[in-house]
Amino acid sequence: LTHEFFVDMTCEGCSGAVTRVLNKLDVKFDIDLPNKKVFIESDKDTDVLLETLRKTGKTVTYIGPK
């Protein structure tokens, strides 16, 4: 299942921070920096994914399954 999130990323550094936290979770993901979207392929609970993304200090919104 792929989940779509809005993450307020403004630069490469922001997407790098997202990459670092998600790599620890062992999930497949794609980052769309221009549109500030992160797609995560995972069976993990949405709350776990949200909590992980919020570790970057960015504003994170769950958009829904894709």
Side-chain angles (χ1 to χ4, degrees), residues 2-14:
T2 302
H3 301 281
E4 185 177 349
F5 293 88
F6 170 84
V7 183
D8 193 17
M9 301 173 287
T10 48
C11 61
E12 296 282 323
C14 303

Side-chain angles (χ1 to χ4, degrees), residues 28-32 37-40:
K28 279 191 193 154
F29 62 93
D30 275 310
I31 297 174
D32 178 351
K37 298 276 182 72
V38 178
F39 302 96
I40 305 174

Side-chain angles (χ1 to χ4, degrees), residues 1-6 46 50 54 60-66:
L1 184 63
T2 302
H3 301 281
E4 185 177 349
F5 293 88
F6 170 84
T46 313
L50 264 174
R54 288 197 171 121
V60 181
T61 312
Y62 180 49
I63 296 168
K66 192 162 169 57

Side-chain angles (χ1 to χ4, degrees), residues 37-55:
K37 298 276 182 72
V38 178
F39 302 96
I40 305 174
E41 199 181 308
S42 172
D43 295 328
K44 291 186 197 300
D45 199 63
T46 313
D47 292 339
V48 173
L49 301 176
L50 264 174
E51 207 174 293
T52 302
L53 286 169
R54 288 197 171 121
K55 284 179 188 165

